Amino acid sequence: MANTGYQEDRTMKSTWAAPLVAIGLIGASAFAGAFTGEAAETGIDRMPAELEARFALSALPPALREEATVHLLDPAKGYELLREGTSGVTCLVQRTVWEMGDFRNDIYIPLCYDAAGTDTYLKVIMDAAALRAEGMDVDALKAEVARRYEDGTYEAPEKPGLSYMVSPVYRTIGPPDLKVHTLSMPHVMFYAPNVSNEDIGAAPDLADHSSLHSPFIDRQGIDEQSYMIQLVGEAEKAKILADEKALLDDLCAYRDVLCIPAAKP
């Protein structure tokens, strides 16, 4: 999910995806203890433009890609428009997750938002990238985003909608240990501000992958940034992996952290 984190009581918390993703599992109030693994560079590399655009658009079903808007990241400035679309859907590869409380160079979360999400949640992602580029430190960035939610600068979408995260691969915090992993968990994220797993009777368990195939809530940093996550089925996932093989090969050749780990017996 585009930004994923979890509570120890098995309630999904910030960041999957995002998004996790960021699933897109991606997220953050549980993040402080999640980054106890390997150290990572904090400067962001600039991806080749063609590869980054393909990666961003892979978050969408193929039939929706031609009409989507695409932004690419200039690490020195923030996101810049590559292509203006006509559908209201906007795609990019998220590299900075404000909830994380850590600046890394190995986070890659391709995601796309519909029009309602573009005007709200995506704005936060783009602003976080710009503030990082301007030199704002991690703690200040978290505080600034929280302040903007409190004063109304940022708001949750006013109507239902979703973020697409059906890419074949992404890299962020995820199961089973809330550390940074390269994951293949295509999914969609429906906007669910202020909704909890208890509200929908969900009981996601990071140690039991099958439990994640039922809808669950991913709280990404704050209650306003909560999503209902739905993973795609195994047959659909297999098709995505097959259809996107060329992209997966190119991403793996570009950077080994984007290689999907070999399946364990």
Side-chain angles (χ1 to χ4, degrees):
M1 295 95 206
N3 296 335
T4 303
Y6 307 87
Q7 296 179 0
E8 292 182 358
D9 64 358
R10 295 176 19 176
T11 298
M12 294 295 179
K13 208 136 163 127
S14 111
T15 293
W16 256 120
L20 289 155
V21 258
I23 291 169
L25 289 171
I26 300 174
S29 58
F31 279 173
F35 288 92
T36 57
E38 77 285 358
E41 296 179 24
T42 58
I44 302 180
D45 63 295
R46 185 165 192 168
M47 293 186 71
E50 186 267 347
L51 182 61
E52 185 176 359
R54 289 166 58 204
F55 197 18
L57 286 169
S58 73
L60 276 181
L64 304 183
R65 295 174 187 175
E66 185 175 346
E67 297 180 349
T69 294
V70 179
H71 290 268
L72 302 183
L73 179 64
D74 179 346
K77 300 177 181 179
Y79 286 97
E80 298 180 330
L81 180 67
L82 172 69
R83 184 184 82 188
E84 186 71 54
T86 58
S87 65
V89 174
T90 304
C91 302
L92 52 72
V93 179
Q94 184 180 10
R95 305 292 306 279
T96 296
V97 180
W98 71 268
E99 311 98 288
M100 240 177 225
D102 189 14
F103 285 163
R104 299 176 62 112
N105 183 31
D106 63 341
I107 300 300
Y108 293 87
I109 307 165
L111 48 75
C112 301
Y113 280 92
D114 65 6
T118 294
D119 290 340
T120 52
Y121 291 142
L122 191 67
K123 177 175 173 55
V124 180
I125 292 172
M126 297 179 76
D127 285 355
L131 292 171
R132 178 177 179 176
E134 291 171 5
M136 183 174 286
D137 66 33
V138 172
D139 292 339
L141 177 57
K142 288 184 67 176
E144 179 62 16
V145 172
R147 183 191 68 77
R148 292 184 186 187
Y149 266 109
E150 290 173 358
D151 70 14
T153 300
Y154 296 149
E155 298 179 340
E158 294 183 352
K159 62 179 182 179
L162 79 162
S163 171
Y164 294 93
M165 293 190 66
V166 298
S167 297
V169 67
Y170 56 87
R171 182 171 174 82
T172 186
I173 285 181
D177 54 8
L178 285 181
K179 292 184 179 180
V180 173
H181 297 282
T182 300
L183 303 165
S184 181
M185 298 181 73
H187 59 280
V188 293
M189 307 195 304
F190 299 95
Y191 310 145
N194 302 301
V195 176
S196 70
N197 278 305
E198 290 76 10
D199 292 333
I200 65 171
D205 183 351
L206 292 182
D208 179 8
H209 183 77
S210 65
S211 74
L212 304 181
H213 280 278
S214 298
F216 61 87
I217 300 299
D218 177 27
R219 178 184 180 274
Q220 298 183 8
I222 54 176
D223 291 340
E224 291 88 343
Q225 284 191 183
S226 294
Y227 298 85
M228 185 179 297
I229 307 300
Q230 179 63 69
L231 302 189
V232 306
E234 290 302 318
E236 185 176 2
K237 175 182 173 181
K239 186 177 188 306
I240 289 171
L241 290 171
D243 291 347
E244 298 290 356
K245 184 179 185 307
L247 173 63
L248 288 169
D249 289 345
D250 290 344
L251 288 169
C252 186
Y254 164 65
R255 212 174 160 193
D256 59 5
V257 296
L258 293 173
C259 301
I260 297 178
K264 295 182 179 179

